[in-house]
Amino acid sequence: MLKDVTFGQYYPSNSFVHKMDARIKFLLCLVFMVGIFFVQSFVVFGFITVFLIILIASSRVPLKSILKSIKGIIVLLLLTVVLNIFFTKGDPEKDKLLVSWWIFEIWDAGLYFAAKMFLRLVYLVMGSSVLTLTTTPVDLTHAIESLLKPLKVIRVPVHELALIMSLTLSFIPSLMEETDRIINAQKARGADFDTGGLVKRAKAFIPILIPLLVGGFRRAEELANAMNSRCYEGATKRTQMRVMKLTWRDLVGTLVVLLFFVTVFVIFGMKSQWINANVDWLYINDVNWLYF
Amino acid sequence: MDIITLDNVSYYYKTYDENNDVSYAVGVEGVSLSIEEGAFVALVGHNGSGKSTLAKLLNGLILPKSGTVTVAGLSTADKKNLFEIRKNVGMVFQNPDNQMVASIVEEDVAFGPENLGIPQPEIVERVSQALEQVGMTEYAKRSPHKLSGGQKQRIAIAGALAIRPKVIVFDESTAMLDPLGRREVLNVAKQLNKQGMTVVLITHFMEEVLDCGKVVVMSGGHVVKIGSPMEIFDDDRLLSSVGLDAPRSIALSRKLKSAGFNVTENCIDAKVLGGEVCQNLTNK
Ligand SMILES: Nc1ncnc2c1ncn2[C@@H]1O[C@H](COP(=O)(O)OP(=O)(O)O)[C@@H](O)[C@H]1O
Ligand SMILES: [Mg+2]
């Protein structure tokens, strides 16, 4: 049951992507996520697929770990696909009605739309799991603190937020141990967590939650004492041991990602006259592959 | 020179009963005590005798309701002094898991120096030196929660050392550890004292006070006796009245002596005592 949260999903390696600065990876991941939402055609999804393959290969993370992350959103995926297939009303002028039964209609446009939504969600999760598989939560925390620093001007408590994240990370392992201990103690007293209906089972967890809560308060007090004893007085004059340095890898990584998205969007993404005029070759068999 | 002086210090905890009526429980009462620079002082007493209360008074985590606590000439009553006082008095608590602020060893140790606002290269230097002092250098990049209890406490000690205090207070830092972990922590404490650090060791394991220069016995919030370890062990009436026992080897050597055996009185080392008993038996 116990997993080392310090390293989260982290997959240790020395790859190019691992060695990149966490801040840059975080920003590029955002670019990727936003970019995905602008993708309208299957052709561009093809390019994104190639991009992801190259990314995963250069991160040396096994594909299995990345696919595992999709398991977590499988319900969401199914729901999205089903809803989009059944509830997309096509335009009778240009779309084909494939099936019509009772109140349900399936249009070809609905199928395409569902497929695109499916790809978007899957690629979104794959992209972000490359980030979490190549970066430790500790590094991510530092990255977020550093990236949010400008918000200090508008009085966002950036340091405090980062501290909370860091304390949470260090607390989770002992919280899990504590939970295990309490569950075992209650089982030894005859508590039954595994049978009965939902309500009965939920009730069985109250004797676990209460000791956990009490323990949490005690820990909070002790932790506050420990932090005060170590001269903690908020963010005012704090310095940091960790230095984050950008290297050539970050430059190369940023250039590659930005160039890729800019190129793809300039060629395929815009509906401008100029682009349409220049991509006549995309019309094959009277289908505009740009918007297919 | 005294680094810490307590002058007639009292502290009471506010408590509420079922009717929400306020009453006050004694934490410590009328404690006067001075701790010399470089000393190794033990603070012993039964559960609830006020040891932790006293410890928290030493670095201003709580402030005396009456009396004064002075650290390196600064009174804890003045809020402006607290930062300086905490720089001088490091503290290691009982539960190692509840003092970790980061999930990487070296970042946890760096927490103190970071709060002091010292430049980054010096933080790195202090962290590596502190880890070396407690013999945990090779664990710098690990996460602390997979370490043994004794190792975690050594990390906590390193965290206090990185601030470079003059005094370090151990509040029952060995209570949750197995014998091996206890020995690890105790050895670090002794070694620090040899290097000139003032050490205040709070414990209820009487074996741990053997090497201390001065033992302070507490009961019911009061200091009931201050003396050398032997003076304390000799005072059977006092010990039984405050619910403490002399270390077993000492108690045994006394019983043997009074039963007519020819052994060293107040023998600390169980092995020596054993040898002497064998000698006695073969001579008979
Ligand atoms: N937070 C608190 N609230 C109320 N009473 C407390 C609190 N902490 C300690 N006390 C009381 O103060 C006395 C001294 O406690 P403490 O200093 O923790 O003793 P020790 O560390 O020697 O076990 C005890 O009687 C205890 O019940
Ligand atoms: Mg205590």
Side-chain angles (χ1 to χ4, degrees):
Chain A
M1 175 181 177
L2 284 180
K3 224 185 128 214
D4 195 338
V5 278
T6 316
F7 301 107
Q9 300 180 292
Y10 184 69
Y11 181 88
S13 167
N14 264 329
S15 79
F16 184 92
V17 183
H18 280 78
K19 282 185 180 162
M20 278 175 67
D21 188 285
R23 292 167 297 175
I24 300 291
K25 276 192 271 186
F26 189 83
L27 287 178
L28 291 180
C29 187
L30 284 184
V31 169
F32 176 79
M33 287 171 143
V34 172
I36 289 275
F37 266 92
F38 285 106
V39 177
Q40 295 298 344
S41 78
F42 287 112
V43 178
V44 179
F45 272 117
F47 278 95
I48 301 271
T49 311
V50 173
F51 174 80
L52 265 179
I53 289 171
I54 295 170
L55 176 68
I56 292 168
S58 60
S59 72
R60 292 208 219 123
V61 172
L63 193 62
K64 217 175 76 192
S65 321
I66 292 182
L67 294 179
K68 233 198 250 160
S69 59
I70 298 175
K71 247 172 47 186
I73 58 156
I74 243 167
V75 177
L76 181 72
L77 274 178
L78 285 177
L79 213 68
T80 318
V81 169
V82 171
L83 289 181
N84 276 311
I85 288 178
F86 288 107
F87 293 105
T88 309
K89 285 269 176 289
D91 176 356
E93 305 248 305
K94 61 182 189 8
D95 297 329
K96 255 190 285 184
L97 181 62
L98 300 176
V99 184
S100 173
W101 176 74
W102 193 33
I103 56 164
F104 298 108
E105 287 179 350
I106 298 180
W107 294 75
D108 62 346
L111 284 185
Y112 299 146
F113 195 73
K116 284 173 192 169
M117 222 40 215
F118 175 87
L119 285 177
R120 249 178 232 138
L121 287 175
V122 167
Y123 285 2
L124 211 67
V125 171
M126 285 175 84
S128 55
S129 70
V130 170
L131 175 69
T132 54
L133 282 162
T134 62
T135 321
T136 63
V138 178
D139 285 335
L140 263 184
T141 308
H142 283 290
I144 292 170
E145 177 174 13
S146 162
L147 288 173
L148 292 183
K149 238 172 214 160
L151 294 185
K152 273 186 183 167
V153 182
I154 55 165
R155 294 177 164 260
V156 175
V158 175
H159 159 71
E160 283 76 7
L161 289 175
L163 185 70
I164 289 170
M165 275 172 71
S166 159
L167 288 176
T168 309
L169 276 179
S170 74
F171 180 37
I172 292 173
S174 54
L175 184 76
M176 304 230 278
E177 259 166 50
E178 186 81 11
T179 315
D180 256 0
R181 211 168 18 236
I182 296 172
I183 289 180
N184 285 333
Q186 303 289 22
K187 272 187 180 161
R189 294 188 177 89
D192 177 8
F193 301 110
D194 307 318
T195 61
L198 198 64
V199 178
K200 183 172 173 272
R201 280 199 211 187
K203 269 192 184 153
F205 275 92
I206 293 174
I208 295 174
L209 282 178
I210 290 177
L212 264 185
L213 226 79
V214 173
F217 282 123
R218 188 173 44 234
R219 178 189 147 93
E221 191 188 330
E222 287 181 25
L223 189 63
N225 278 335
M227 286 169 66
N228 281 330
S229 298
R230 282 156 81 180
C231 302
Y232 182 67
E233 296 204 318
T236 31
K237 54 182 165 181
R238 264 190 128 240
T239 46
Q240 275 199 318
M241 176 172 75
R242 171 86 63 126
V243 271
M244 285 180 278
K245 263 216 227 102
L246 299 182
T247 63
W248 60 271
R249 286 189 190 82
D250 302 301
L251 185 68
V252 171
T254 312
L255 285 179
V256 167
V257 174
L258 290 186
L259 272 178
F260 171 79
F261 275 99
V262 169
T263 318
V264 166
F265 279 107
V266 164
I267 298 181
F268 298 100
M270 293 180 190
K271 297 185 176 186
S272 79
Q273 284 293 304
W274 183 84
I275 296 284
N276 272 346
N278 282 286
V279 289
D280 274 349
W281 52 273
L282 275 170
Y283 285 84
I284 302 168
N285 298 336
D286 273 351
V287 175
N288 182 349
W289 290 88
L290 186 51
Y291 300 117
F292 174 70
Chain B
M1 206 191 88
D2 292 339
I3 179 105
I4 297 180
T5 327
L6 287 87
D7 184 24
N8 201 16
V9 173
S10 301
Y11 185 87
Y12 305 94
Y13 289 99
K14 213 175 190 175
T15 56
Y16 299 88
D17 61 16
E18 310 92 76
N19 308 324
N20 252 354
D21 291 329
V22 179
S23 59
Y24 291 89
V26 176
V28 295
E29 199 163 48
V31 171
S32 294
L33 185 67
S34 57
I35 295 168
E36 266 175 53
E37 194 153 7
F40 195 150
V41 179
L43 201 60
V44 299
H46 206 255
N47 266 346
S49 59
K51 305 184 297 290
S52 295
T53 308
L54 192 62
K56 284 180 203 147
L57 284 161
L58 296 182
N59 71 347
L61 286 176
I62 54 178
L63 302 179
K65 302 282 170 177
S66 69
T68 53
V69 179
T70 316
V71 178
L74 303 167
S75 164
T76 59
D78 189 347
K79 255 204 156 98
K80 274 181 278 165
N81 289 341
L82 285 182
F83 191 74
E84 200 57 33
I85 287 172
R86 287 173 188 163
K87 260 162 70 176
N88 278 309
V89 183
M91 209 161 278
V92 182
F93 295 93
Q94 183 171 1
N95 189 337
D97 289 321
N98 292 355
Q99 345 179 19
M100 297 285 168
V101 294
S103 42
I104 305 272
V105 167
E106 61 172 6
E107 291 193 7
D108 187 75
V109 177
F111 183 71
E114 288 179 338
N115 291 333
L116 299 183
I118 57 181
Q120 190 269 346
E122 202 191 327
I123 299 182
V124 175
E125 190 195 309
R126 284 189 181 208
V127 168
S128 72
Q129 196 191 347
L131 283 174
E132 203 180 304
Q133 275 177 289
V134 298
M136 291 295 287
T137 305
E138 57 187 301
Y139 297 90
K141 306 270 183 214
R142 303 263 202 103
S143 76
H145 72 266
K146 289 239 175 100
L147 304 178
S148 74
Q151 289 172 322
K152 282 186 202 167
Q153 280 301 42
R154 275 149 69 194
I155 302 295
I157 296 171
L161 287 176
I163 300 173
R164 308 231 164 120
K166 293 207 177 81
V167 186
I168 192 159
V169 180
F170 296 86
D171 186 358
E172 303 211 43
S173 307
T174 59
M176 293 179 76
L177 306 180
D178 57 12
L180 184 69
R182 266 165 64 188
R183 212 170 316 137
E184 285 172 26
V185 170
L186 213 59
N187 283 340
V188 172
K190 283 179 195 166
Q191 191 199 328
L192 287 173
N193 180 248
K194 280 211 189 85
Q195 294 161 5
M197 178 82 70
T198 312
V199 174
V200 178
L201 184 78
I202 298 177
T203 179
H204 61 247
F205 296 114
M206 294 298 273
E207 291 82 2
E208 294 181 358
V209 310
L210 285 169
D211 297 327
C212 295
K214 185 157 92 173
V215 181
V216 178
V217 184
M218 293 198 67
S219 178
H222 297 266
V223 170
V224 291
K225 182 161 179 147
I226 300 177
S228 71
M230 282 311 156
E231 281 166 13
I232 303 295
F233 298 153
D234 277 340
D235 198 339
D236 286 329
R237 287 235 324 264
L238 173 92
L239 285 179
S240 66
S241 77
V242 300
L244 292 170
D245 294 314
R248 260 184 231 148
S249 60
I250 290 183
L252 182 62
S253 71
R254 286 187 183 158
K255 286 236 169 79
L256 287 167
K257 187 92 183 172
S258 61
F261 278 82
N262 179 22
V263 292
T264 328
E265 197 165 359
N266 294 334
C267 182
I268 296 166
D269 195 334
K271 271 193 194 136
V272 175
L273 188 61
E276 285 175 351
V277 171
C278 289
Q279 200 74 46
N280 272 278
L281 291 176
T282 43
N283 287 351
K284 269 195 179 164

